[in-house]
Amino acid sequence: MESNALDAIDLQLLDALQRDASISNVALAERVSVSPPTCLRRVKRLTDGGWIERQVAVLSSDKLAASMGHGLTALVEVSLDKQGSEHFDAFEARAVAHGAVQQCWRVSPGPDFMLVVQARDMPHYLAISQALFTQDANVRNVKAFFATKRAKFTTIWPVLASD
């Protein structure tokens, strides 16, 4: 099979694993109607081919907020003053290296970047913003939106036709 081609079983495997990566190989094989050795071989090929980047645990933001104070999510628009690719690359490297930045997107039109930032509280957000935005003379404008409620969060890509 060509490394870029995915068949129906591959898509079923990807769908099942992104919903619950802790599923056993035997249960996964049963779910997609293949033998366990075939399932294991296919999952290894999907991983080696880069279709599966990594397996992680998704933590409860409510539980973390209650016990550790991770209670502030900011969606931040960032516009740069200078627009060259080296300036985009420099800001992007700075943002992705910061532990509080959960997501960093280059976007167009509008701002140059959208960030999802997780902070313990407002003083922590202020420290993050100073580190990311005020120490860099190339940041022209920052507009932060603070989440009041998360209605939906998922990591699932709709890979099956029924999604």
Side-chain angles (χ1 to χ4, degrees):
M1 172 181 273
E2 183 181 321
S3 64
N4 288 349
L6 296 176
D7 64 16
I9 292 173
D10 292 330
L11 293 174
Q12 290 175 51
L13 288 168
L14 291 172
D15 184 68
L17 287 170
Q18 72 179 335
R19 292 175 191 279
D20 182 5
S22 68
I23 189 172
S24 72
N25 182 61
V26 172
L28 182 60
E30 186 176 301
R31 183 171 295 173
V32 300
S33 303
V34 297
S35 70
T38 297
C39 183
L40 195 60
R41 193 169 42 253
R42 280 179 172 259
V43 170
K44 181 174 178 3
R45 184 179 50 79
L46 290 167
T47 301
D48 292 348
W51 294 100
I52 299 170
E53 288 186 26
R54 62 182 181 256
Q55 294 181 7
V56 299
V58 177
L59 306 182
S60 167
S61 61
D62 292 339
K63 297 265 188 196
L64 285 171
S67 68
M68 299 179 68
H70 290 86
L72 187 63
T73 301
L75 301 131
V76 184
E77 295 180 355
V78 179
S79 297
L80 301 183
D81 191 32
K82 298 175 187 155
Q83 299 291 306
S85 64
E86 67 277 4
H87 299 291
F88 286 124
D89 292 344
F91 179 80
E92 183 178 292
R94 175 194 227 114
V96 300
H98 199 290
V101 176
Q102 289 185 320
Q103 296 181 44
C104 175
W105 297 84
R106 284 192 195 188
V107 296
S108 179
D112 299 312
F113 290 90
M114 286 293 301
L115 306 178
V116 176
V117 177
Q118 191 67 44
R120 288 184 302 278
D121 50 28
M122 192 54 77
H124 185 221
Y125 176 78
L126 178 60
I128 295 164
S129 67
Q130 288 173 336
L132 287 176
F133 314 133
T134 61
Q135 294 176 1
D136 184 352
N138 192 40
V139 174
R140 182 181 71 231
N141 190 39
V142 175
K143 191 173 187 179
F145 303 88
F146 297 96
T148 58
K149 178 186 176 191
R150 181 173 78 182
K152 181 178 181 178
F153 171 81
T154 186
T155 60
I156 295 173
W157 283 85
V159 295
L160 297 178
S162 64
D163 289 339

